[in-house]
Amino acid sequence: MAQNKLITLSEFILQRQAEFPYAKGELTRLLHHLGVAAKFVHKKVSKAGLVDILGSSGNTNVQGEDQKKLDAFAHLEFAEMMLASEECCGIASEESDGIICSDNPQAKGAGYVLCIDPLDGSSNIDVNVSVGTIFSIYRRISPRGQDPVLEDFLQSGARQVAAGYIIYGSSTMLVYTTGAGVYGFTLDPSIGEFCLSNLSMKTPKTGNIYSVNQGYFTRFPQGIKEYIKYCEEKDDATNRPYSLRYIGSLVADFHRNMLKGGIYLYPPTAANPNGKLRLLYECNPIAFLAEQSGGKASTGYERVLSIKPAEIHQRIPFVVGSAEMVTKAEEFLKMHPDKD
Ligand code: P6P
């Protein structure tokens, strides 16, 4: 029987290079460097309990959140590796207030910018629950040869040329899209390579899993409350009640729902009228993957990928997953408009 040929990430990207809109090898090198940085972060995450990398760094990040040591490590690892690739001229990171550029003239001449959440769900690190890196890549608008400008990062999500995540879970996987489907690679630590494991990932049209922080139920808009009640009601014809699965790590919840079918919701509350998740480096890349795998991503009212960002750390309400489930949630929000 033919041995299934092992296809590494680098080999796959090269094979598919012809499909990239700008097949000059630049995006190939960018994705390759991303994979290398992911291996370094994997190494630290996989033995976090054994090295002095757990716990708080003692700093708070620009979001005012406690910055974990591993957050800071992952941020530096990806920032240095991506700028060193000389294909990325600047980075917008959850862990940095402003844009990160390089003094290297080669990097200034690069054609891409990166938006990244270096380690999402980091509050889970100390309790050994899956965490993830989320990334989004755009072609720069500003001319090459100078530092990037804010406009390079404030492009709508529909203009992403690549996006994906690395999930550091029972195995470490890199999942990405360049707009021609979603592909998953599993890290084989014995050879240090990400190997193709999921060809053309598809989100089931519907499912019976809903992911939301039920503890905030009383603070949600009426339409979300009604949708959650709908998920909890018994109805054999529509396979309800659904199961509530909420890991507290967007990448882990999204990855499971993409494979099995399901919906993830991070709604607005009075205290956080735009929700918690960031548009540039959480919602847009996940929305690109969702749509490329046949799913759907909205704020509950509008398509995420159509939003023109106003600032790099902008937050939006987020509903993502199986297309029919997201549509149903949107219908409840329409039926129960928020009282002003
Ligand atoms: P809460 C992690 O901080 C994160 O950004 C997502 O990964 C996760 O789904 C969500 O926030 C958890 O937030 O408020 O429910 O603890």
Side-chain angles (χ1 to χ4, degrees), residues 149-178:
V149 296
L150 210 46
E151 280 317 299
D152 290 317
F153 297 87
L154 300 182
Q155 302 182 53
S156 69
R159 293 172 58 86
Q160 292 174 96
V161 291
Y165 56 77
I166 296 104
I167 177 168
Y168 310 95
S170 46
S171 68
T172 291
M173 278 191 75
L174 186 150
V175 175
Y176 84 92
T177 183
T178 56

Side-chain angles (χ1 to χ4, degrees), residues 249-271:
S249 179
L250 168 61
V251 170
D253 280 316
F254 176 75
H255 185 74
R256 179 205 53 243
N257 292 352
M258 180 162 66
L259 292 170
K260 293 177 175 273
I263 185 171
Y264 170 100
L265 307 102
Y266 206 100
T269 59

Side-chain angles (χ1 to χ4, degrees), residues 65 94 117 119-124 130-132 134 211-216 219 246-254 264-266 272 276-278 282 315:
E65 294 163 345
E94 188 205 32
D117 184 351
L119 209 63
D120 180 71
S122 52
S123 55
N124 289 311
S130 300
V131 291
I134 312 172
S211 306
V212 66
N213 189 330
Q214 191 82 12
Y216 300 158
R219 308 179 204 169
Y246 191 67
I247 300 169
S249 179
L250 168 61
V251 170
D253 280 316
F254 176 75
Y264 170 100
L265 307 102
Y266 206 100
N272 296 305
K276 171 183 183 182
L277 301 185
R278 274 59 60 121
E282 289 173 321
R315 298 173 193 265

Side-chain angles (χ1 to χ4, degrees), residues 17 26 45 60 141 171 203-204 219 233 236 277 301 310 312 320 324-325 336:
Q17 183 164 286
E26 295 171 327
V45 170
T60 52
I141 299 171
S171 68
T203 301
R219 308 179 204 169
E233 281 163 359
D236 295 341
L277 301 185
Y301 303 94
I312 58 176
V320 64
E324 291 173 9
M325 299 177 84
H336 302 273

Side-chain angles (χ1 to χ4, degrees), residues 163-222:
Y165 56 77
I166 296 104
I167 177 168
Y168 310 95
S170 46
S171 68
T172 291
M173 278 191 75
L174 186 150
V175 175
Y176 84 92
T177 183
T178 56
V182 177
Y183 298 91
F185 298 79
T186 300
L187 180 65
D188 180 341
S190 68
I191 58 172
E193 289 287 0
F194 279 104
C195 302
L196 183 65
S197 52
N198 302 67
L199 197 55
S200 193
M201 299 172 82
K202 293 291 177 210
T203 301
K205 280 281 167 249
T206 190
N208 65 353
I209 293 172
Y210 69 111
S211 306
V212 66
N213 189 330
Q214 191 82 12
Y216 300 158
F217 181 86
T218 56
R219 308 179 204 169
F220 290 152
Q222 192 56 33

